[in-house]
Each structure stands twice: as structure tokens, then as C-alpha cells.
Amino acid sequence: MDIADTKSISDVLRRCPSPCNFLVFGLTHETLLWRSLNNHGRTVFIDENRYYAAYMEEKHPEIEAYDAQYTTKLSEYKELISSVKEQAHNECKPVQNLLFSECKLGINDLPNQIYDIDWDVILIDGPRGHWHSAPGRMSTIYTSSVLARNKKASAKSGKTHVFVHDYNLDPQRVSSEEFLCKENLVENNGMLAHFVLERMDENCFEFCHYKKKSS
């Protein structure tokens, strides 16, 4: 991640109400930087490799990391997105408890506490998504959209900042447009997109208010 991208994220973390809850998908070269920038808050990392997550926690005891098992394939991203859209009134609702979700893109195997936290900032920089058999980031984008909309009314802020790295790749861009929504996009420099999502009523079944008009 280049300096401009890290600065965009660090600027939001600096303005985040303290203590700030920061969720990061992917253990990367910037892991220690993210932890230090949110020194007075809680930073949680989710990675696809359980051994690497355990290694990072052992080497850096200040790091809180967990693993997630992804069953998706990048080559199937269009079919997976279509399936979720069809189930938006049932298993794949925008507001739900993901712990009990059977949605194909919902991550439901994280520690229970992760689903109870009101996340202020979410960074999607994993899992791998650069070849057909890789899991892709459709699940992390969908899951982040639900976590953001599921914030409790008692949360100090009803907004969640969601950053998507490698936004220039079609699976990230298409998934983001479907679940994070164009109307919530506040910045896009090509590689990094910044969305701001509001808490949503549980009786709402549409991810996006904006509907693209047919030509």
C-alpha cells in the first residue's frame, strides 16, 4: 500500500472517536502500523491463514488476530453476488446477526464477540484475490457492509468508514457497488476506495438506495 493510501486511512483513524474500534481483513506489511495508529483503541485482524495469525500473535503479543475460513472462489464472484441479491429478503439481509447467517457471502465463523462490536473503521485488504481459485474479497465486503449497518443505536457514532484496497480489480469494485453502494463512496483514487455507511433499520432489505436507471 502506498503512502497516499496509508495517509487516507490514518487520517480517518486520527479523527475516530476514542476508543476507536478498527477491524482489518488481512495481515499485511502494514499490520503493525495499523495497530500503532489506533494505539488507544481496539484493532482486530482477520486472516485466511490460521498459522500466520497465530505466528503474528506470538511474535507481537499486542496483536489481536483470528482466522476465517473462506469457501468462495474468485472465478464465481458474479454468481455469488447474484445469489446474495436474490436472498436479500431472507438469508442475506443487509441487517442481521451474521453469527447465525447461512448467506453464501456471510462470514459466520469468527469469535462471537466480533459480531457484538460496533466497528468504527473497517479495512478490507484480504483475503487473496488475484487468481481464479483464490477466495477473493466478496465475503469480506459483504460481511463488512452488514457489520456497518448492524451498529447498535447506543453506538457513539452511527457511521462506519469502510476502506477497500485493490479497488481497481473488478470483483472488489462490483462487490463494493452492490453492497457498500455508490452513494456511500466518498473517495476513490483507483487502488483504494473509501465508503461511509450509516446504521440501517432492520426492516430494510435494500443495500443501496440508488438504483441505476436502465438506458
Side-chain angles (χ1 to χ4, degrees):
M1 193 177 294
D2 64 26
I3 294 176
D5 292 343
T6 56
K7 185 179 185 304
S8 295
I9 298 168
S10 65
D11 286 346
V12 170
L13 287 172
R14 196 161 46 243
R15 297 192 300 267
C16 185
S18 183
C20 183
N21 294 320
F22 183 25
L23 180 63
V24 183
F25 288 99
L27 286 165
T28 66
H29 295 296
E30 293 82 24
T31 292
L32 297 180
L33 173 64
W34 303 140
R35 175 63 182 82
S36 64
L37 287 172
N38 192 34
N39 188 47
H40 298 294
R42 182 175 184 180
T43 304
V44 175
F45 297 89
I46 308 295
D47 197 76
E48 62 188 298
N49 189 325
R50 69 173 62 184
Y51 302 106
Y52 189 53
Y55 165 78
M56 286 296 290
E57 282 195 309
E58 182 178 356
K59 187 175 182 181
H60 304 282
E62 73 276 16
I63 295 293
E64 182 179 359
Y66 305 97
D67 66 280
Q69 301 302 309
Y70 297 97
T71 59
T72 54
K73 289 184 179 180
L74 188 68
S75 59
E76 302 170 347
Y77 84 92
K78 291 182 180 179
E79 292 83 353
L80 287 166
I81 291 174
S82 295
S83 173
V84 171
K85 290 168 65 178
E86 291 173 2
Q87 292 293 316
H89 283 73
N90 298 299
E91 295 296 338
C92 301
K93 294 185 291 186
V95 180
Q96 62 167 298
N97 187 339
L98 286 166
L99 185 61
F100 305 105
S101 177
E102 295 184 9
C103 183
K104 289 182 178 180
L105 290 185
I107 302 174
N108 60 7
D109 63 342
L110 300 175
N112 294 12
Q113 57 175 311
I114 302 300
Y115 303 102
D116 292 330
I117 297 172
D118 291 312
W119 298 104
D120 300 298
V121 184
I122 300 175
L123 169 60
I124 300 165
D125 203 8
R128 296 165 298 167
H130 290 82
W131 62 92
H132 289 317
S133 60
R137 299 177 184 173
M138 303 81 69
S139 288
T140 49
I141 291 171
Y142 169 79
T143 296
S144 297
S145 79
V146 175
L147 290 173
R149 294 182 170 100
N150 208 50
K151 293 183 83 168
K152 295 183 286 291
S154 59
K156 54 185 176 289
S157 172
K159 296 181 178 180
T160 302
H161 295 263
V162 181
F163 291 92
V164 181
H165 193 223
D166 296 323
Y167 188 73
N168 58 310
L169 301 178
D170 283 349
Q172 273 84 277
R173 180 183 53 78
V174 175
S175 299
S176 297
E177 288 180 358
E178 291 292 346
F179 305 127
L180 300 176
C181 307
K182 287 183 178 180
E183 68 259 28
N184 298 321
L185 180 64
V186 296
E187 186 179 7
N188 170 25
N189 68 7
M191 288 292 291
L192 184 73
H194 177 193
F195 296 83
V196 178
L197 275 65
E198 297 272 1
R199 181 173 53 234
M200 185 180 283
D201 185 271
E202 63 180 356
N203 295 315
C204 184
F205 301 103
E206 290 186 356
F207 287 90
C208 306
H209 298 299
Y210 169 80
K211 296 292 183 181
K212 186 175 181 180
K213 296 181 180 179
S214 57
S215 55

